[in-house]
Amino acid sequence: MGSRDDDSQSTEGQGYAADINSIREAQARIAPYVHKTPILSSTSIDAIAGKQLFFKCECFQKAGAFKIRGASNSIFALDDNQASKGVVTHSSGNHAAAVALAAKLRGIPAYIVIPKNAPACKVDNVKRYGGRVIWSDANMESRESIARRVQEETGAVLVHPFNDKYTISGQGTVSLELLEQVPEIDTIVVPISGGGLISGVALAAKAINPSIRILAAEPKGANDSAQSKAAGRIIKLATTDTIADGLRAFLGDLTWPVVRDLVDDIIVVDDNAIVDAMKMCYETLKVAVEPSGAIGLAAVLSDEFKQSSAYHESSKIGIIVSGGNVDLRLLWDSLYK
């Protein structure tokens, strides 16, 4: 079965899976393969929010989401012997496409286990990049068991969507860029699901500026992270129900300690608020954003945030717009009728 060297899951620094050094190494490793994404702002949205907002637009990233950062860091960190047998992952969408693209860039096979309920546009992205699609049922047990079987049959290396040092380190490069582009940011709002993105963002940002505030944005129908934070241990839900298809995973044993210790608060929003934020991104920012990517704006505009001490202590807020892979076929179909 394909695997990394034993140190791939080891912890460093404060006992976390990644640190500022592994994130800076990732930035150098992935630089040829990813975009440095732009920051957008809108005085109209600032007026509604009552704060200066800086949108880090990972919707403009290769494969349409931040996930190419972690995937390319993981895949280009493999030695030639490991890489020769290919890589395998399981994902509902953006990570799947990112692994397929990064593997294509490295010239190795990618076996992608995708649940049957994944959005068609995300499955199409995987196929476009040459990933070999293997279907699973729409639950984590099925995804993981099929991925294990593929590993055993092929010797491919697992590229985990979030619970891995190289994935977390790659995602943390979003934070390095954001704070290079707008150093005066005092708060960063990040979508949360498995926790790879927010772990990397928090580890990098707090190494650069220990007083920076890290807030998670989570859908009400998949609020396991908020429940975990309240309980002091990982909580997994029996089912999830949210339009944000990219935010249905649960925290891992490597991401949970970072979320527990370094994420200052978790703001939970319902799907209507997410759709309202998507609409604002389309109409005012003029950017195509998927639900998971719009949730940060939804959180900043929420009553829960506006009534919190964090709101009163924030003035310049960075929002990670995590992706833009939204299935627009319903829209086009309605226009063609």
Side-chain angles (χ1 to χ4, degrees):
M1 185 186 298
S3 64
R4 295 179 184 280
D5 299 334
D6 290 339
D7 71 348
S8 70
Q9 301 291 341
S10 69
T11 54
E12 303 169 353
Q14 300 299 311
Y16 301 122
D19 61 17
I20 189 67
N21 296 321
S22 68
I23 295 167
R24 291 200 191 282
E25 284 168 16
Q27 189 176 39
R29 183 180 289 121
I30 70 177
Y33 312 108
V34 304
H35 294 313
K36 183 172 183 178
T37 52
I39 306 285
L40 294 184
S41 57
S42 162
T43 51
S44 302
I45 298 178
D46 288 356
I48 296 164
K51 301 288 173 185
Q52 266 190 289
L53 306 182
F54 300 89
F55 295 91
K56 178 63 169 161
C57 290
E58 288 293 292
C59 47
F60 297 143
Q61 188 52 267
K62 287 187 181 176
F66 74 93
K67 293 281 193 179
I68 189 65
R69 296 174 182 268
S72 57
N73 190 46
S74 295
I75 286 169
F76 282 92
L78 295 172
D79 65 37
D80 288 345
N81 184 49
Q82 291 171 314
S84 64
K85 297 187 175 92
V87 289
V88 59
T89 197
H90 56 84
S91 165
S92 64
N94 287 334
H95 177 71
V99 169
L101 175 56
K104 182 181 180 183
L105 292 171
R106 178 102 195 231
I108 61 175
Y111 306 96
I112 314 290
V113 179
I114 302 183
K116 291 169 185 162
N117 66 342
C121 65
K122 297 188 178 182
V123 178
D124 291 344
N125 283 347
V126 172
K127 292 177 178 174
R128 184 181 308 125
Y129 299 132
R132 304 178 193 187
V133 174
I134 300 142
W135 296 103
S136 77
D137 293 332
N139 61 69
M140 193 58 72
E141 291 76 16
S142 173
R143 282 166 48 162
E144 289 178 341
S145 68
I146 292 172
R148 273 195 301 272
R149 192 186 76 219
V150 173
Q151 261 187 295
E152 288 162 3
E153 290 172 357
T154 63
V157 177
L158 178 69
V159 180
H160 199 280
F162 52 87
N163 202 49
D164 177 84
K165 167 186 173 175
Y166 292 93
T167 304
I168 294 167
S169 299
Q171 317 310 25
T173 62
V174 174
S175 207
L176 295 182
E177 275 182 27
L178 174 60
L179 292 174
E180 286 164 11
Q181 291 164 310
V182 194
E184 65 272 23
I185 279 174
D186 53 53
T187 303
I188 306 178
V189 183
V190 192
I192 191 166
S193 180
L197 175 61
I198 201 167
S199 294
V201 166
L203 288 164
K206 295 214 173 191
I208 293 165
N209 174 9
S211 65
I212 203 165
R213 187 178 291 101
I214 305 294
L215 302 176
E218 186 169 49
K220 188 175 180 182
N223 68 343
D224 55 288
S225 298
Q227 291 189 32
S228 299
K229 199 96 159 119
R233 60 185 174 85
I234 297 177
I235 301 285
K236 297 187 178 182
L237 307 178
T239 59
T240 58
D241 182 16
T242 175
I243 191 173
D245 60 273
L247 302 180
R248 294 172 181 159
F250 306 130
L251 296 168
D253 63 341
L254 299 184
T255 56
W256 160 241
V258 185
V259 172
R260 179 191 63 207
D261 300 346
L262 300 184
V263 173
D264 295 283
D265 201 6
I266 298 178
I267 302 162
V268 175
V269 295
D270 65 26
D271 279 9
N272 286 340
I274 294 173
V275 173
D276 287 344
M278 278 179 77
K279 191 162 175 277
M280 194 176 287
C281 289
Y282 279 70
E283 292 178 352
T284 308
L285 275 186
K286 313 299 183 197
V287 172
V289 176
E290 65 187 86
S292 305
I295 196 171
L297 175 57
V300 167
L301 298 178
S302 69
D303 290 339
E304 181 186 340
F305 179 57
K306 290 186 172 176
Q307 290 160 8
S308 69
S309 60
Y311 178 81
H312 299 289
E313 294 162 9
S314 303
S315 63
K316 297 180 189 301
I317 302 175
I319 296 177
I320 310 293
V321 180
S322 54
N325 292 316
V326 63
D327 203 330
L328 292 174
R329 286 183 304 177
L330 288 174
L331 171 62
W332 305 135
D333 288 350
S334 69
L335 292 176
Y336 285 128
K337 279 176 185 168

